[in-house]
Amino acid sequence: MNTTLYQPRRARVAAQIGPRGLAIVPTAPEQRRNRDADFPYRFDSYFHYLCGFAEPGAWLLITGTGKSILFCQPKDLEREIWDGYRLGPQAAPAELGVDEAYAMSELDTRLPALLDGCDSAWYPFATHSGLDLRIQSALQQLRDRVRYGAQCPGAQQDLCSVLDEMRLVKDAQEQDTMRRAGQISAGAHIRAMQTSARMLRDGQEVREYHLEAELLHEFRRHGAQSPAYTSIVAAGANACVLHYRADTALVRPGELVLIDAGCELDGYASDITRTFPANGTFTGPQRALYELVLASQQAAVDATRAGARFTDPHEASVRVLAQGMLDLGLLDKDKVGTVQDVIEKRAYFQFYMHRTGHWLGRDVHDCGAYTEPSELGQSSVRKDALTGQSIVDRPARILRPGMVLTIEPGIYVRPAPGVPEQFHHIGIRIEDDAIVTAQGCELISRGVPVEADAIEALMRD
Ligand code: GLY
Ligand code: MN
Ligand code: MN
């Protein structure tokens, strides 16, 4: 393994927790699906970010003086016959570049000793069930020995505050992996679009799961380990259900299909949404709404650059969508007023009820503060126009090169009084993945086109 990726990250953690800190990071547990079957194993994102070790049953400890200590599953030939190869503590230092490694069974005796004399125990808060109890137990053992000179740490600190900031800005290697994940996912979207058009042309029955199967096939054949999240393949009106999954509904000519799907490659997510006509040709009303969402996405892309705020792309999208809702008659000018009124009263929320993006990285909704750390403490309170609830506004994060976020405006039209019937049941979202650069952003998911004409063209091929 290329350990040079991980050692500098561990060194940065050590520098931030101070010479008398101890950082404690478990990987994820295996999860039972039912009886003898487990869910596919996925390591913990923080743990893997720090050592690249993908086996379950492991903890990484980093001392404030920069020493890395791994606890992992011991070699066990009988278990390895059933479950597969284990690296084991003896081989771990050479393979992973950690300083020491021990069997997991030694953790509960070694942890109190490692905490002895530390001023702070650092671990990710509220991420691993039972972790705090396990650490309390180690502290308790240490406290029982203060009469003999043991020194118990006086503080416990949230390691997420350190790791989230580190993970928020992606290094060159991470960006490269995310570009490759974006390319694979883009290819999967093209495959699903073309399959839909071809099967319908051939008179075959198409269901949502047929298109999901194409996505999975394309992810795996390019080496992606899994989908980064449960794929959404929503035919027709199902697109208006934001958390819909790929199910059994028929994909009908004349309807749109919304696919929100991305692969996970080497621990990094991609997250792409495309909305396309099932048979390859947009109807007039579909195209009108599609062009509106696309224009709103372009406005958000234009607003994404280093120095801008995280909320700038959302505000840019909302402005375009709000104007379009008035122009297309989704909102009645006589009732809601000007575009500024639509924004202030949040009237657009009837058709656009989510944010325009989120951080993307090891987790599809990646870690990282959405408020600006250099402006902590600045806040104002206002009443929300729709709910009347008090909202605390804090300055939004200032974007920096290497941050990765999605840009994903949409429009979802459920029938309601006054809403033109031609738009009923249309749901459209367009989502791309962007790396922030000094001048703007790099869209790493555009291997699948977004322009309506380009989508129609590739579905004809
Ligand atoms: N696919 C999850 C999201 O777009 O946020
Ligand atoms: Mn997303
Ligand atoms: Mn998505």
Side-chain angles (χ1 to χ4, degrees):
M1 175 185 303
N2 177 7
T3 59
T4 56
L5 278 179
Y6 304 102
Q7 273 160 334
R9 292 177 187 160
R10 296 198 293 266
R12 282 176 69 192
V13 170
Q16 291 187 67
I17 62 176
R20 292 179 56 217
L22 181 72
I24 302 166
V25 191
T27 195
E30 292 178 279
Q31 300 278 1
R32 184 53 52 93
R33 184 172 188 275
N34 49 32
R35 204 161 286 263
D36 287 340
D38 287 347
F39 282 105
Y41 181 68
R42 168 55 156 77
F43 43 75
D44 175 77
S45 292
Y46 291 122
F47 176 88
H48 197 261
Y49 174 74
L50 292 171
C51 65
F53 188 45
E55 285 184 25
W59 286 34
L60 178 70
L61 274 54
I62 303 171
T63 70
T65 53
K67 198 197 286 186
S68 300
I69 305 162
L70 183 80
F71 290 85
C72 61
Q73 300 178 115
K75 294 296 285 179
D76 179 336
L77 272 185
E78 195 191 325
R79 284 314 323 156
E80 289 180 58
I81 287 169
W82 289 91
D83 300 330
Y85 174 78
R86 291 179 179 184
L87 180 63
Q90 211 177 349
E95 175 66 16
L96 303 174
V98 295
D99 299 291
E100 297 172 17
Y102 303 100
M104 270 308 283
S105 55
E106 296 187 40
L107 177 74
D108 286 330
T109 49
R110 288 188 180 270
L111 186 55
L114 286 161
L115 285 164
D116 188 359
C118 289
D119 59 7
S120 295
W122 293 75
Y123 59 93
F125 285 6
T127 53
H128 298 265
S129 97
L131 175 59
D132 42 359
L133 287 179
R134 194 98 180 254
I135 291 172
Q136 298 305 324
S137 156
L139 293 172
Q140 181 69 54
Q141 288 181 52
L142 198 53
R143 187 160 288 160
D144 287 348
R145 299 187 54 250
V146 286
R147 289 195 309 286
Y148 306 103
Q151 284 184 334
C152 212
Q156 295 177 47
Q157 306 220 47
D158 187 6
L159 191 61
C160 295
S161 63
V162 171
L163 294 176
D164 289 358
E165 284 301 299
M166 289 172 60
R167 282 176 51 188
L168 185 52
V169 176
K170 277 69 179 174
D171 63 29
Q173 182 271 342
E174 293 180 290
Q175 291 180 26
D176 181 55
T177 306
M178 294 188 75
R179 281 189 194 95
R180 286 189 289 121
Q183 274 166 10
I184 294 170
S185 301
H189 278 262
I190 289 177
R191 187 181 175 108
M193 287 178 187
Q194 293 185 326
T195 300
S196 176
R198 193 191 63 244
M199 288 177 73
L200 288 174
R201 264 199 308 272
D202 292 350
Q204 294 173 31
E205 182 181 279
V206 186
R207 293 189 181 264
E208 291 164 341
Y209 56 75
H210 290 125
L211 304 186
E212 183 190 20
E214 298 299 321
L215 299 167
L216 296 174
H217 178 88
E218 198 70 6
F219 292 166
R220 283 302 275 151
R221 87 189 185 95
H222 288 288
Q225 286 78 10
S226 66
Y229 53 91
T230 308
S231 305
I232 296 173
V233 180
N238 293 335
C240 293
V241 180
L242 295 180
H243 289 165
Y244 189 78
R245 311 288 186 215
D247 205 342
T248 58
L250 271 175
V251 172
R252 296 188 177 86
E255 288 186 339
L256 293 176
V257 183
L258 183 156
I259 295 185
D260 182 345
C263 69
E264 178 174 305
L265 178 71
D266 300 341
Y268 287 84
S270 53
D271 183 7
I272 304 181
T273 307
R274 290 291 182 266
T275 310
F276 56 93
N279 61 349
T281 309
F282 286 94
T283 66
Q286 289 168 353
R287 190 179 263 260
L289 285 186
Y290 189 88
E291 298 291 2
L292 172 59
V293 176
L294 187 58
S296 79
Q297 197 209 28
Q298 187 57 50
V301 169
D302 293 343
T304 303
R305 81 185 78 82
R309 299 268 176 184
F310 174 79
T311 40
D312 289 350
H314 178 67
E315 284 165 13
S317 269
V318 162
R319 180 159 289 277
V320 173
L321 287 171
Q323 184 64 58
M325 289 172 195
L326 291 172
D327 295 344
L328 293 172
L330 286 170
L331 292 173
D332 184 346
K333 288 188 181 72
D334 295 335
K335 290 200 181 124
V336 294
T338 65
V339 69
Q340 200 53 36
D341 296 326
V342 171
I343 294 168
E344 279 167 17
K345 293 185 209 153
R346 278 213 294 137
Y348 63 84
F349 209 71
Q350 182 180 354
F351 307 108
Y352 182 44
M353 58 298 275
H354 59 77
R355 303 279 290 185
T356 303
H358 51 81
W359 305 131
L360 182 72
R362 287 181 165 265
D363 303 333
V364 65
H365 290 180
D366 207 29
C367 59
Y370 286 87
T371 50
E372 176 54 36
S374 66
E375 295 170 337
L376 267 186
Q378 296 181 30
S379 65
S380 54
V381 179
R382 67 178 163 86
K383 283 245 178 297
D384 179 70
L386 274 185
T387 62
Q389 286 177 339
S390 293
I391 307 261
V392 181
D393 277 329
R394 299 194 169 88
R397 189 87 200 208
I398 297 172
L399 300 179
R400 286 168 49 197
M403 291 178 172
V404 183
L405 67 158
T406 64
I407 304 178
E408 49 175 308
I411 204 160
Y412 313 91
V413 186
R414 285 171 178 272
V419 174
E421 208 174 319
Q422 57 178 345
F423 298 129
H424 286 186
H425 302 298
I426 295 180
I428 294 170
R429 179 164 63 257
I430 305 172
E431 175 173 29
D432 280 291
D433 304 342
I435 302 177
V436 177
T437 63
Q439 294 77 29
C441 65
E442 175 190 347
L443 297 176
I444 58 174
S445 45
R446 282 288 174 92
V448 51
V450 280
E451 294 78 20
D453 287 344
I455 289 174
E456 288 187 345
L458 81 83
M459 293 183 74
R460 271 195 299 273
D461 290 340

